[in-house]
Structures are given as structure tokens and as C-alpha cells.
Amino acid sequence: MSVRDLIPWGHNNGNQMPSLLRDDDRDPFLSLHREVNRLFDDVFRGFGPGLPSLRGAGGFGAGWPSVEISDTDKDIKVTAEIPGLEEKDIEVLLNDGVLTLKGEKHSETEDKEKQFSERYYGRFERRIPLGAEVKEDQVDAAFKNGVLTVTLPKTEKAQSQVKRIAIRS
């Protein structure tokens, strides 16, 4: 074996120069395939969590409805923004330490003249693991102005399990 056998551009009688392109980059169909994939990745990466995407239940993004969760020593409070819905369209379930918010938003009218709409309709479901025991018989849910607030009081056992740790400097 000679040193010439180890040089990659030396296999075709030495008449081929080194190239910056790999062999598969010279194929126009493979290059087109790569560019189309990159285009789709860029388009769907641009969608925020509140906009519809191809992922998530019912065609909604995984973040709909938007929620805030506050966890204090005594209770857990979950606040969800669900504009455009009424109480009858929302279902709140508590099962095995998981709070589930379900609902469906219906279209008010069937407008064939619409050219563009950022509004979305359909079912949603959001599951929130609580991570603490709650008093299931004292859970309270209130819905006002498109905001759902669920208050879940913790059991005495869950309250006593919280241990404050002092920080030394």
C-alpha cells in the first residue's frame, strides 16, 4: 500500500481534484429534498405556543389554554385563560393527582366569505399533575370573564411534608 492510496482524490488515476461538496450534495434531487425539509422546519418552528400547529390535541398547540399555577403551603391554585367559552363548554376533572381541563370552542357562524382567520375552534384538553395530596371534597372552581380559577386545598399531611431549609452564607 502506498501513500497515494490514502489520498481520497487520488483513486481515479489522479485526475480528480478535491471538492468542497460531498457526493450526495451534488445530487440535485437530494439537495431539493433537504431545502424543502428546512423550509417546513423553519415555518413550523415560528409558531408560538398559542397558535395552531400540527401538534397537540384537536389541532391546537400544546400550550392552549394558557395556565398559571401557584403552589403555597395551604393550597394549589390553577388559573387558565379560556376566552370565548362559557361554563357549559368547560369540564374540570380531578383523578389520581392530576387536574384535567377539557372543553370545546364552537364556531359562531359559518362564513364562506372569510379570507383569513387566526381564530381557532375545536376541542382542547390540558392535564396538570399536582404533586401533592389535595382535599378533593373542598376543590373550588370559578369562571369569570374567560378566566377559570381552580383552588385545590392541600391535606394536612401534604402541608406538613413541606420542610423549610435554612440557607447559610
Side-chain angles (χ1 to χ4, degrees):
M1 176 190 239
S2 72
V3 174
R4 278 185 182 243
D5 292 335
L6 299 175
I7 301 173
W9 59 84
H11 291 290
N12 290 345
N13 298 329
N15 61 4
Q16 186 179 11
M17 293 297 294
S19 171
L20 296 176
L21 298 174
R22 299 182 309 215
D23 288 337
D24 55 343
D25 286 337
R26 293 184 206 150
D27 182 6
F29 293 108
L30 187 58
S31 179
L32 176 65
H33 178 72
R34 251 194 224 114
E35 290 301 316
V36 170
N37 282 345
R38 187 175 302 136
L39 174 70
F40 277 101
D41 289 344
D42 290 345
V43 167
F44 290 114
R45 189 178 303 120
F47 283 140
L51 293 176
S53 69
L54 293 179
R55 290 167 252 132
F60 294 112
W64 198 79
S66 299
V67 297
E68 287 181 348
I69 302 171
S70 63
D71 187 357
T72 64
D73 291 339
K74 297 188 185 274
D75 62 11
I76 299 171
K77 189 176 286 189
V78 177
T79 307
E81 291 182 351
I82 313 175
L85 270 75
E86 297 177 17
E87 285 179 46
K88 63 181 173 67
D89 299 324
I90 303 168
E91 187 175 7
V92 179
L93 305 169
L94 180 61
N95 185 18
D96 201 24
V98 177
L99 179 69
T100 303
L101 308 176
K102 288 181 173 183
E104 185 169 3
K105 186 174 180 182
H106 302 279
S107 175
E108 297 93 29
T109 60
E110 195 62 39
D111 188 5
K112 302 289 184 196
E113 298 296 318
K114 271 189 239 173
Q115 299 297 319
F116 177 77
S117 176
E118 288 185 345
R119 299 176 71 190
Y120 45 90
Y121 306 97
R123 295 178 183 266
F124 68 88
E125 183 172 325
R126 189 82 192 259
R127 295 173 187 251
I128 303 164
L130 299 176
E133 290 182 21
V134 296
K135 299 175 184 175
E136 295 183 9
D137 55 335
Q138 295 180 11
V139 173
D140 180 51
F143 186 72
K144 183 176 179 183
N145 297 331
V147 178
L148 174 69
T149 304
V150 182
T151 306
L152 304 121
K154 292 182 180 178
T155 62
E156 285 76 21
K157 180 181 173 188
Q159 290 178 27
S160 66
Q161 288 178 345
V162 176
K163 181 181 177 187
R164 300 266 181 221
I165 300 171
I167 301 172
R168 291 182 277 140
S169 57

